[in-house]
Amino acid sequence: MTDLTNLTIASALNGLKNKEFSATELTNAHITAMENARDLNAFIVETPEIALKQAEVADVRYANGTALPLDGVPIGMKDLFCTKDTQTTAASHILEGFVPQYESTVSGKLWDAGCTMLGKLNLDEFAMGSANTTSHFGNVINPWKDQTNPNIDLVPGGSSGGSSAAVAARLCLGATGTDTGGSIRQPAAFTGTCGIKPTYGRCSRWGIVAFASSLDQAGAFARTVEDCALMLNTMCGHDAKDSTSSKQEVPDFTKALEGDLKGKKIGIPKEYRVDGMPEEIEKMWQQGMDWLKDQGAEIVDVSLPHTKYALPTYYIIAPAECSSNLARYDGIRYGQRVEGEDLTDLYELTRAQGFGEEVQRRIMIGTYVLSAGYYDAYYIKAQKVRRLITQDFENAFEQVDALLTPTAPSSAFAIGENDDDPIKMYLNDVFTVPTSLAGLPGMSVPAGLDSKGLPLGLQVIGKAWDEETVLNVARNIERAANFTAKPQILGVSKAA
Ligand code: GLN
């Protein structure tokens, strides 16, 4: 049989409809790929039996002519989404053994649309990180290799590193992610995949383990822009169980894909030309502008003057919200418990042993910036700067329809490379964090390879609720870039 793991979601749906293969065959091909690529450590838990049961009912629906929108599409679920009766850990020791009694809204929508669940994908602990090196369940390995140094293992980006690695290595057709400051877009860039974070409020946060509630947003990974649109069609929508989920109508995102960019204005924010950015990334950015011009867009220089404050602002607000959200892990209600002499002792021992180093660092920073003496100086100040950053985008969007930037300031780096320097690690998010603070939609699309043979991504940022323009611009980049390179490690090739 042809290699089913190389299909896109759109082509797989066609093949299923035309009875070229069954949902069970498609799911089995991915189960084999997933098992062959265990060295990548992309999954925390594999659930082939669940996937096959779902595939069986999908096949019945195809036979009856009652197929659902994503019927029989095998996907991976970031282990931050609560899945009923399947362990959900947020990659933390403190949640090891936690089996939710309920399904998150977004994962539930995907199952209701017919997707099959291959397993729960690895991530940085509580989605805190940019390299997937903070997981209690070990590092995820990027399936791409540096051609000048092929023996070292590279990071797949983070925090959704399991998602990006699994989609790139053809272990699933698509995957969910969450993005608080870049966790979908940066890993997509590091693995040559497409990743979209919709507007804050597009997807329900209900049942997603919380990191920073005013920033967390679910989104999709896939290998094409169209596949991301197909996933978003299912994932988005109002949910009465999340008061920040929007009632905004959800369009058919696939309709936005076609059409060139005539009459569209694309902004280039000058503050994103940061010191020390590799020349190759600068060149790729210029290439992106040229591609968009060829499609009829006008390139306009814009200014987002408060950009340089975005990272410090994020690293006050995100830890503040994390320290509050993670207070619930007390050893009483969920997961791990370490008994102590009294209740305080139990709390302290459970949290000291349950949380990893990065999570503890963030809880301490967050507690500090929220403490009585420092609240005004840090937290309130950061909220004010956040407002100014949002205003910068609002001003820019009076002149342009979308913005184009690089997704990340480097290609994938070696595992361990930035681990001893948290500030250097935080700099990875320099281009993605401002969008998150403003709650705007952003997408990374693969644009080419650098001189090491590693993928580079371009980021398209849109107005609030205007994912359609983001997808349209991204589709135009995708068409021009014609990115067909594949990573060196693939689930199927190993079996052959
Ligand atoms: N890398 C950023 C952080 O560590 C963003 C993470 C995310 O988007 N979840 O906080």
Side-chain angles (χ1 to χ4, degrees), residues 78 80 124 126-131 158-160 178-186 211 215-216 314-315 318-319 358 362 425-426 428-429 432-433 436:
K78 185 175 183 179
L80 202 62
D124 276 302
F126 284 103
M128 296 172 199
S130 307
S159 67
S160 311
T178 60
D179 191 312
T180 304
S183 277
I184 291 177
R185 293 159 286 159
Q186 183 255 18
F211 162 13
L215 296 155
D216 297 344
Y314 173 85
Y315 277 101
E358 182 61 26
R362 304 232 186 164
M425 191 65 102
Y426 296 168
N428 256 286
D429 305 316
T432 49
V433 149
S436 299

Side-chain angles (χ1 to χ4, degrees), residues 282-325:
E282 187 79 46
K283 257 176 66 192
M284 184 58 69
W285 194 8
Q286 186 57 51
Q287 173 68 263
M289 295 177 214
D290 294 343
W291 284 332
L292 297 182
K293 258 193 256 171
D294 290 346
Q295 299 300 314
E298 186 188 333
I299 302 295
V300 180
D301 285 327
V302 295
S303 174
L304 301 170
H306 297 92
T307 299
K308 65 171 178 288
Y309 303 114
L311 268 183
T313 302
Y314 173 85
Y315 277 101
I316 291 171
I317 292 174
E321 294 185 18
C322 126
S323 72
S324 164
N325 272 326

Side-chain angles (χ1 to χ4, degrees), residues 10 25 72 97 103 119 122 161 194 212 249 282 354 384 387 441 472 479:
E25 284 166 328
E103 190 73 36
N122 207 342
C194 295
E249 207 166 308
E282 187 79 46
K384 289 181 178 166
R387 179 69 215 138
N472 178 249
R479 210 183 286 124

Side-chain angles (χ1 to χ4, degrees), residues 342-359:
D342 54 26
L343 192 58
T344 309
D345 205 30
L346 179 150
Y347 290 157
E348 286 178 1
L349 288 171
T350 300
R351 289 169 67 82
Q353 291 178 34
F355 292 133
E357 196 181 305
E358 182 61 26
V359 173

Side-chain angles (χ1 to χ4, degrees), residues 65-403:
T66 55
L68 300 165
L70 296 175
D71 231 350
V73 172
I75 61 165
M77 187 59 59
K78 185 175 183 179
D79 200 21
L80 202 62
F81 292 80
C82 285
T83 40
K84 188 172 189 299
D85 300 331
T86 298
Q87 178 184 260
T88 300
T89 65
S92 182
H93 180 47
I94 212 161
L95 274 176
E96 219 174 339
F98 169 57
V99 178
Q101 301 301 299
Y102 51 88
E103 190 73 36
S104 86
T105 297
V106 164
S107 55
K109 277 172 177 271
L110 288 163
W111 315 139
D112 288 348
C115 288
T116 71
M117 177 167 84
L118 293 166
K120 301 296 294 286
L121 292 159
N122 207 342
L123 65 149
D124 276 302
E125 186 179 2
F126 284 103
M128 296 172 199
S130 307
N132 216 129
T133 49
T134 71
S135 166
H136 174 67
F137 301 93
N139 301 332
V140 175
I141 293 168
N142 192 328
W144 290 84
K145 295 288 171 201
D146 175 345
Q147 293 307 292
T148 62
N149 195 356
N151 295 326
I152 53 163
D153 287 332
L154 303 178
V155 304
S159 67
S160 311
S163 308
S164 67
V167 171
R170 273 76 178 157
L171 315 186
C172 49
L173 292 180
T176 56
T178 60
D179 191 312
T180 304
S183 277
I184 291 177
R185 293 159 286 159
Q186 183 255 18
F190 277 19
T191 55
T193 55
C194 295
I196 183 162
K197 170 199 109 74
T199 312
Y200 179 81
R202 263 288 187 211
C203 294
S204 168
R205 286 183 297 108
W206 196 81
I208 301 176
V209 176
F211 162 13
S213 306
S214 77
L215 296 155
D216 297 344
Q217 175 59 215
F221 283 90
R223 292 192 293 269
T224 66
V225 176
E226 181 185 19
D227 286 0
C228 283
L230 282 166
M231 286 185 72
L232 281 195
N233 277 353
T234 290
M235 294 167 68
C236 295
H238 177 250
D239 177 10
K241 290 190 274 200
D242 171 7
S243 62
T244 61
S245 98
S246 166
K247 293 204 168 128
Q248 196 88 14
E249 207 166 308
V250 181
D252 177 351
F253 291 115
T254 60
K255 292 218 170 100
L257 298 172
E258 290 323 313
D260 60 20
L261 299 173
K262 273 196 199 78
K264 288 261 173 348
K265 290 188 177 158
I266 308 294
I268 307 300
K270 67 167 190 251
E271 290 77 8
Y272 282 52
R273 290 185 201 283
V274 294
D275 283 347
M277 180 151 78
E279 209 176 298
E280 289 181 287
I281 293 192
E282 187 79 46
K283 257 176 66 192
M284 184 58 69
W285 194 8
Q286 186 57 51
Q287 173 68 263
M289 295 177 214
D290 294 343
W291 284 332
L292 297 182
K293 258 193 256 171
D294 290 346
Q295 299 300 314
E298 186 188 333
I299 302 295
V300 180
D301 285 327
V302 295
S303 174
L304 301 170
H306 297 92
T307 299
K308 65 171 178 288
Y309 303 114
L311 268 183
T313 302
Y314 173 85
Y315 277 101
I316 291 171
I317 292 174
E321 294 185 18
C322 126
S323 72
S324 164
N325 272 326
L326 271 57
R328 76 190 69 176
Y329 304 107
D330 53 9
I332 306 294
R333 285 172 288 187
Y334 312 85
Q336 295 295 306
R337 172 182 307 170
V338 181
E339 297 292 347
E341 279 177 16
D342 54 26
L343 192 58
T344 309
D345 205 30
L346 179 150
Y347 290 157
E348 286 178 1
L349 288 171
T350 300
R351 289 169 67 82
Q353 291 178 34
F355 292 133
E357 196 181 305
E358 182 61 26
V359 173
Q360 292 191 15
R361 173 164 32 245
R362 304 232 186 164
I363 292 174
M364 283 191 282
I365 294 171
T367 309
Y368 179 80
V369 300
L370 289 177
S371 61
Y374 296 100
Y375 182 81
D376 289 336
Y378 291 105
Y379 185 70
I380 292 290
K381 188 58 127 308
Q383 290 291 23
K384 289 181 178 166
V385 179
R386 182 179 190 175
R387 179 69 215 138
L388 294 173
I389 290 166
T390 307
Q391 222 140 32
D392 282 356
F393 281 107
E394 285 166 3
N395 294 341
F397 283 125
E398 278 176 16
Q399 302 169 56
V400 296
D401 300 289
L403 301 168

